[in-house]
Amino acid sequence: MLQENDKSVVLKDFFKSNVLINEVEEILRFKPETLIGVDKISSDHLIAHGIKTIEDLANLTVTNLPEIKEILPNILQKWVKIAQIIQKNVREQLKRHKKILMVGLDNGGKTSILAVVQDKFSIIKSLLPTRGVKREKLDFFGYPIISWDLGGQIMYREKLYFNRPELFFTEADIMLYVVDIQDPDRFPEAANYFREVLKAFTELGENPELLIVLSKSDQDFRKTLQWQQNVTTIKNKFTKIVDEFEQFIIDFCDTTVFQKETVMQMFSVALTKVSDTSEIIENILEDFINQVDAKAASLVSMDGLIFGNYTRTDTDEMLVNNTALLLQTLSNFYNSIGLIRERTIKLDLPLNGFTIRGEKLFEYSDLQIPVYLWALAEEPKKLEGKLDYFKEQLLPLINLFL
Ligand SMILES: Nc1nc2c(ncn2[C@@H]2O[C@H](COP(=O)(O)OP(=O)(O)OP(=O)(O)O)[C@@H](O)[C@H]2O)c(=O)[nH]1
Ligand SMILES: [Mg+2]
C-alpha cells in the first residue's frame, strides 16, 4: 500500500494542482492540458490533431512526431516523454491489482458476495441480475483487487463470453466459480458452464487458480442432510470435470451472505492462493510452531480474515480455524453488549489432550480490528512461554507483509 501511495504522489506531481485523481485508470483519459506546462491553447491544437488524451500523447513516437506548427518540436517531445512515463506508471499500478473473476449461473450470489466484502449489506436485498460484466476495484485489507463480475444469465453465457473469450478469460489470477448450493436442479447446468469456462481457459493458454464457492450455505441449511448431499454431489461433479483437463487444481469453500465471516474466510483462502505474502506468513508461523511444539497456528482477524496459517494436517487446520472463527464470533457478541475484549481466549479439551488458544496481537486497519494468534498445542505452557518472543521477533516480520 505504501508503495502505491508513493507512486500516486509521483503521478500527481505531473498534473496541475486543480486536477483531481480519483482512479488511476482515469488518468490516461485526461486531456493534455491537465499536465503541468501544457497551456489550454496548445492542448486545443493537440486535440485538433487527434491527440485528445494523455494516452494519445504517450502513443506518439518521439522520433517521428507529427508536425504541429504552433508547438515547437522539442517541447512536444518533452510532453510525449512525460506522457510515456505516466502511462508506464499507470500500467504498473494496475498490474499490481489481482484480477478476480466471479463466474457462475444467474442468481448464484456472485454480486451479493462482492457486496458483503465491501460492507454494502443494504444493497443485497434489491440486487438485480448483473447485466454483462461489472468491473470493480476493491480494497481487501489494503490488498488491491479488480473483480470482474460476469453476469450469469443465459444470454451472456451463450452470446457474449464464448464469442470473445479473450476479452473475459485472460489474465485472471483466480476464478471464483459460484454455485448456489440450495438449487440442486441446476447443478448439471452449473457443471456444464464450468466445463465450458475451463475449455476457454485452456484454449487461451490461461491457468488461473480456481475456487468453487458453495454459496447460500445458510446456517439452518448447513445443518441439514440435504446440504451435505448437495456438497458431496458438487464436489464429485466438479472434481471429475477438472480431471478432464491437465492443468487445473480446485478447492471448495462455502459461504452465506448472512455471516460475513464466511465470505471473508473464502476471500482469504482465495488471496492466499494468489499472493506470496501469505506464504511468507506461513513460513514464519511454521518456524514458531516448531519452536513451541504446537500442532497448528493461524493468524486471524476478528472479522474472520485468515492472514495465514500453518498446520501439518488438514484436521488440525480445520480445528484451529473453525474454533478461532466461532470463539471470535462469541467474543464479538460479548463486545457488542459492552464487555471488555479479553486478550486471551482459550478452549481446553482435556479428554483429547490439547488446548486451542488465541492471543490478541494488534489492531488492524483504521477500523482497529483485533488480530489474534491462534494455536493448537498439547503443552500450552510452552506456547505461553514463547509468546513474548513471537510478539517481539516474529510479529514485526509479519507486519512487513500485511
Ligand atoms: N439465502 C441466501 N440467498 C442469497 C445468498 N446470496 C445471495 N442470495 C440471493 O440470491 C439472489 C441472487 O443474488 P445475486 O448476487 O444477484 O446473484 P448473481 O450470481 O450475481 O446473479 P447474476 O447477476 O444474474 O449472475 C438474490 O436474491 C440474493 O438475495 C445467500 O448467501 N443466502
Ligand atoms: Mg450479479
Side-chain angles (χ1 to χ4, degrees), residues 46 51 57 60 62 65-68 71-82:
L46 287 170
I51 305 157
L57 250 184
L60 296 177
V62 192
L65 293 175
E67 266 184 45
I68 305 175
I71 303 173
L72 290 172
N74 62 335
I75 300 275
L76 181 59
Q77 198 180 46
K78 195 174 100 189
W79 293 345
V80 170
K81 280 187 181 159
I82 289 174

Side-chain angles (χ1 to χ4, degrees), residues 181 214 226-237:
I181 201 70
L214 310 175
Q226 182 70 55
W227 181 79
Q228 277 176 23
Q229 284 170 349
N230 290 359
V231 171
T232 309
T233 310
I234 285 292
K235 284 192 173 171
N236 290 340
K237 259 186 193 307

